[in-house]
Amino acid sequence: MSENNFQEIWKESLNQLRAQYKQENRENEFNLWFNLEYVSDDQNTIIVAVASDFMRESMIKRGNIEIIKNKIREICGAEVEINFQIKNSSVTNEKKSSDFSAENSSEKIPENISQKNSFDEIKIEKNSSTQNYENEKLQFFKHPDLDEKFMFETFVPGDNNMYAYQASMAAAKNPGKMYSPILLYGGSGLGKTHLMESIGNFIYNEKQGKIKLSYLSAESLLNEFTLSLTTKTTQKFKNKYRNLDVFLLDDIHFLQGKDALQEEVFYIFDALNQKHSQMVFTCDRPISELKGITERLRTRFSNGIRIDMQPPNYETRKAILLKKMALMNKNLSDDIIDFIAANIESNVRDLEGAFKKVAGYEEFMIETGKKITLETVKQLLQEQINSNFGGNISIEAIQRVVADYYNISFSDIKGKKQTKKIAFPRHVAIYISREITENSFTEIGSEFGGKDHSTAMTSYKKIDSLIKTDATLDNAIKSMIKEIKTKK
């Protein structure tokens, strides 16, 4: 082996290509399809590491390797070959050379962050030593409450969420320091939970599982708190949550109007803040818009870093689809990827759902000896694309459509009458409310005559069970959902 004669030339080549792609508003594409790590060189051969065989073949097929070779020739006049090593595909707690991360500086991220940021503000980290990617098998520590697919490696940062990504990475690397608490807020499917669980997974692996970490929703916290009251184990509850090293609480908007739970969360917050634990919260709206929250708790949530999560722009949506395609070993054509990215604009969850639908249909087409076309994709996603237009869906809108469908009054479906003529449509409305809104069962129940969490859940389960065997009901509900989304 040589003494890495081409390392600086390699670095300069990629820097120039990055600048070129950035100028063409294609930097997300560059980040995915030029994701190569220099390992070493031998005479006129450069050895690089790539994530998978699929990524290697895709980069070659797209001509990206030739682009790099041409750029090297342009810079130094040398003709080089590029050989590959495949990185270990298992998830590890080691830093990846291609990860974007916030710099560990003393500069504090602004408290209320909604502005955009560019990729050139991100530091790219390099491993200090060459790794044996084929043989390395590092243990992944699985926390029972965290989803292992939510990792920083699977998150695609873009202009809409770059600050959120930077702050989350900084919090993961230095838990409990200047990036705590973090409040991520915004609509459904924008990556709040993904980043929160990525923080948890990163810290849990860094500490090799030897850490007190809790991830749960505010609704689950209420259920646990209520159980501790009925079983007279409140001290056990307090000891559990006031001694955590990492506290990840999803959907704090659920705390509205729950005074006893808010008081307990306030004391949990203060206890963890004093011991410099890492805290991360998510909410579906700015903290200032929450109602029924005590001022002292509102102040606590506002004291940290508040980050507004926005829907991804076209470039980010395309990068997400390209990464999803690589992870799932799919190879959809560029025109199909462009179409999905251009037309599914609402959030990442809908975008990934559309991609999975198309990818699943492509498998069916392959089995029948046919190839999926853009026209097929347009028909396949027509209903989803149409449903993406409009604002948020209210429970009242759902109640009115369901009431009209079953020819009962709006006041009846909201009320407490239990006749079969009224009760069944009410079950349907509760089911639809849970399916197409982000409201909890408790919030939904309160809109239907003040029903509690368990009653609303029972209604949902009843309809969910029926539609599996009753095609007529299933079609009726789909028809109502379509009308609701059209009217919203």
Side-chain angles (χ1 to χ4, degrees):
M1 289 290 183
S2 72
E3 297 180 356
N4 299 336
N5 293 327
F6 282 103
Q7 186 168 13
E8 291 304 317
I9 295 170
W10 171 268
K11 190 182 300 182
E12 178 61 24
S13 298
L14 290 190
N15 284 341
Q16 290 188 22
L17 288 171
R18 176 187 291 276
Q20 176 185 327
Y21 273 68
K22 182 179 179 181
Q23 188 174 14
E24 297 170 357
N25 292 321
R26 298 165 61 201
E27 191 168 13
N28 282 329
E29 182 180 337
F30 175 88
N31 292 331
L32 181 63
W33 295 112
F34 289 84
N35 188 3
L36 299 158
E37 179 180 329
Y38 175 91
V39 176
S40 63
D41 60 71
D42 183 7
Q43 296 181 354
N44 286 335
T45 298
I46 297 175
I47 301 170
V48 296
V50 67
S52 65
D53 283 320
F54 172 78
M55 290 295 288
R56 177 190 62 191
E57 295 302 322
S58 297
M59 290 172 184
I60 294 172
K61 181 179 178 182
R62 289 171 175 270
N64 295 353
I65 303 305
E66 284 302 316
I67 290 173
I68 297 174
K69 289 164 68 174
N70 290 338
K71 179 59 68 173
I72 291 173
R73 185 188 308 116
E74 177 186 317
I75 291 174
C76 69
E79 295 286 346
V80 299
E81 292 299 320
I82 297 177
N83 290 345
F84 296 86
Q85 289 182 2
I86 306 303
K87 294 182 183 180
N88 174 35
S89 60
S90 64
V91 180
T92 75
N93 62 344
E94 292 292 308
K95 298 174 183 176
K96 306 296 190 228
S97 64
S98 59
D99 290 348
F100 293 104
S101 63
E103 295 192 39
N104 297 328
S105 67
S106 59
E107 182 180 356
K108 187 167 183 178
I109 294 175
E111 288 187 350
N112 188 17
I113 299 169
S114 60
Q115 67 268 44
K116 293 182 178 180
N117 191 15
S118 60
F119 280 92
D120 58 354
E121 294 181 52
I122 309 306
K123 177 183 178 183
I124 301 178
E125 298 189 343
K126 297 288 184 184
N127 285 336
S128 58
S129 60
T130 301
Q131 301 178 31
N132 186 336
Y133 294 97
E134 296 178 345
N135 299 323
E136 183 184 24
K137 299 292 181 182
L138 298 178
Q139 182 178 358
F140 175 72
F141 294 88
K142 174 74 173 73
H143 188 279
D145 299 328
L146 294 173
D147 191 331
E148 59 191 283
K149 75 173 182 286
F150 289 144
M151 310 287 286
F152 288 117
E153 291 87 345
T154 58
F155 190 89
V156 178
D159 285 347
N160 62 300
N161 56 28
M162 183 57 72
Y163 271 121
Y165 184 81
Q166 287 181 311
S168 297
M169 279 293 293
K173 291 181 177 182
N174 295 284
K177 307 299 183 185
M178 60 184 293
Y179 301 99
S180 181
I182 293 176
L183 173 63
L184 305 171
Y185 68 89
S188 171
L190 297 180
K192 302 187 299 296
T193 299
H194 190 143
L195 283 178
M196 172 182 273
E197 292 202 47
S198 295
I199 293 171
N201 276 317
F202 188 99
I203 297 174
Y204 198 71
N205 276 277
E206 283 289 305
K207 303 298 182 181
Q208 300 183 2
K210 299 172 183 178
I211 190 173
K212 295 177 182 177
L213 182 151
S214 179
Y215 163 75
L216 76 170
S217 67
E219 186 173 2
S220 296
L221 186 67
L222 173 66
N223 294 337
E224 192 172 338
F225 178 60
T226 303
L227 180 63
S228 74
L229 294 175
T230 57
T231 58
K232 299 181 179 180
T233 56
T234 53
Q235 192 57 49
K236 182 179 179 181
F237 176 90
K238 292 176 182 178
N239 291 340
K240 174 182 177 180
Y241 287 103
R242 296 184 191 183
N243 289 291
L244 291 170
D245 299 303
V246 181
F247 184 41
L248 311 174
L249 187 62
D250 229 342
D251 299 334
I252 62 168
H253 48 270
F254 181 80
L255 298 173
Q256 295 175 106
K258 303 179 178 62
D259 295 341
L261 180 60
Q262 285 184 44
E263 182 176 7
E264 187 53 44
V265 171
F266 170 81
Y267 287 119
I268 291 172
F269 188 108
D270 273 8
L272 298 185
N273 194 49
Q274 288 179 16
K275 70 189 297 285
H276 303 292
S277 299
Q278 180 63 50
M279 291 180 279
V280 186
F281 306 101
T282 70
C283 189
D284 67 355
R285 69 205 78 165
I287 198 71
S288 59
E289 294 181 12
L290 293 182
K291 300 176 181 178
I293 294 285
T294 62
E295 190 57 35
R296 64 178 185 173
L297 190 55
R298 188 191 305 275
T299 301
R300 294 299 188 278
F301 288 140
S302 301
N303 278 346
I305 298 170
R306 290 167 285 149
I307 306 176
D308 183 8
M309 301 283 286
Q310 295 291 327
N313 58 21
Y314 168 78
E315 290 77 17
T316 305
R317 295 196 299 273
K318 185 173 180 180
I320 290 169
L321 292 173
L322 291 173
K323 188 157 194 173
K324 197 74 179 175
M325 186 164 66
L327 290 171
M328 293 178 65
N329 281 334
K330 299 297 179 183
N331 194 21
L332 298 174
S333 64
D334 287 341
D335 59 345
I336 290 176
I337 292 296
D338 286 339
F339 177 80
I340 299 173
N343 288 278
I344 308 296
E345 304 176 77
S346 51
N347 58 56
V348 178
R349 188 175 299 152
D350 289 346
L351 186 70
E352 292 186 343
F355 177 82
K356 289 179 181 178
K357 187 174 185 178
V358 172
Y361 195 78
E362 185 210 23
E363 290 183 5
F364 167 75
M365 295 288 283
I366 291 173
E367 290 176 2
T368 60
K370 298 178 182 178
K371 186 176 181 180
I372 193 167
T373 65
L374 179 58
E375 288 305 313
T376 304
V377 172
K378 288 179 179 179
Q379 294 176 14
L380 198 63
L381 299 181
Q382 182 178 7
E383 184 176 342
Q384 185 172 350
I385 290 170
N386 291 338
S387 71
N388 269 272
F389 295 102
N392 293 329
I393 298 170
S394 68
I395 292 179
E396 179 180 335
I398 295 169
Q399 291 168 331
R400 291 189 182 279
V401 169
V402 176
D404 287 345
Y405 186 91
Y406 286 102
N407 198 27
I408 64 174
S409 71
F410 173 65
S411 58
D412 278 342
I413 202 169
K414 282 178 63 72
K416 297 183 178 181
K417 291 181 181 179
Q418 292 297 325
T419 62
K420 185 176 182 179
K421 180 182 178 182
I422 295 170
F424 185 78
R426 187 181 295 136
H427 294 326
V428 170
I430 289 173
Y431 172 84
I432 293 175
S433 297
R434 184 60 174 173
E435 282 290 295
I436 66 175
T437 78
E438 291 301 307
N439 292 289
S440 66
F441 282 120
T442 301
E443 290 167 327
I444 292 169
S446 67
E447 298 293 327
F448 289 85
K451 290 178 172 49
D452 61 21
H453 167 273
S454 59
T455 303
M457 183 183 290
T458 299
S459 295
Y460 175 87
K461 289 181 177 179
K462 178 180 178 69
I463 301 301
D464 188 50
S465 177
L466 285 174
I467 62 174
K468 292 174 182 176
T469 56
D470 189 340
T472 302
L473 176 60
D474 186 31
N475 289 331
I477 288 175
K478 288 178 179 176
S479 175
M480 283 183 268
I481 289 175
K482 187 173 182 179
E483 182 179 354
I484 291 162
K485 290 183 174 180
T486 301
K487 289 183 174 181
K488 70 181 180 179

